[in-house]
Amino acid sequence: MAFKLVCDDVFNATAPAILLTIDGTAKGLYGNVSHAFQRRWPEEFASVARAIRYPLPLGRAQVIRAGGESGFAFVIVASTLHHVGLLDAQEKTRVARMALRDSLVLAHRHGVTELATTILQGGWRLSARAALDTMRQCYQASIQGVNVDLHVYVK
């Protein structure tokens, strides 16, 4: 297992799966990278969006088989965005940790050996540094037997 920081656009990743963030409470509330995916591959994104089962609780994830023009076999959507209520710093960190942990477990269950993502900041609710530290700590403490390389893309 490897945690790797990659200085490139996440859409250039060769990983079989990409992690996108959403607000799991309502359809149509997506993170910035999700919107960029939508602009780049609108038909594939439409298919992914139709497959999301709502509600997806905060901190949980869902795997969707993709296999379109993007080249990703799977899209993992993680509910890290919240548009109702306020969370303190500890709760924001907990959500990022839970979502990443759930994403890694689901990736492993689907035979994914490498997962591409950006820094999970929860819609800028966490600083990049705090979010990256949380992701690294979560990854290092990940579940025994879950062998998924995590490549975190930054530009």
Side-chain angles (χ1 to χ4, degrees):
M1 284 187 358
F3 182 99
K4 183 176 174 183
L5 203 56
V6 181
C7 293
D8 197 358
D9 186 325
V10 70
F11 298 134
N12 292 333
T14 58
I18 187 170
L19 176 60
L20 301 176
T21 59
I22 65 168
D23 180 329
T25 61
K27 292 181 181 184
L29 298 176
Y30 308 117
N32 292 331
V33 178
S34 297
H35 282 295
F37 189 103
Q38 181 180 30
R39 286 189 299 275
R40 196 170 208 166
W41 300 293
E43 290 179 19
E44 185 172 356
F45 185 82
S47 176
V48 167
R50 282 191 302 273
I52 299 171
R53 293 182 312 273
Y54 289 94
L56 184 60
L58 200 55
R60 297 302 311 259
Q62 178 185 344
V63 176
I64 298 164
R65 192 170 296 278
E69 289 182 42
S70 71
F72 297 107
F74 299 96
V75 171
I76 299 178
V77 293
S79 179
T80 63
L81 310 176
H82 51 285
H83 293 90
V84 178
L86 297 173
L87 300 179
D88 64 27
Q90 186 176 16
E91 291 169 317
K92 293 173 193 175
T93 300
R94 183 182 59 79
V95 166
R97 187 179 308 114
M98 287 172 45
L100 181 57
R101 186 175 194 269
D102 202 30
S103 297
L104 290 167
V105 168
L106 291 172
H108 178 77
R109 285 186 191 155
H110 284 81
V112 171
T113 57
E114 182 183 322
L115 178 60
T117 187
T118 57
I119 299 175
L120 302 178
Q121 290 182 261
W124 304 103
R125 289 170 179 87
L126 285 174
S127 73
R129 184 66 177 171
L132 186 59
D133 287 347
T134 296
M135 291 174 73
R136 187 182 310 273
Q137 291 165 5
C138 175
Y139 186 79
Q140 290 170 342
S142 65
I143 305 100
Q144 182 133 9
V146 173
N147 296 312
V148 177
D149 290 341
L150 184 66
H151 292 187
V152 181
Y153 285 74
V154 294
K155 307 196 287 190

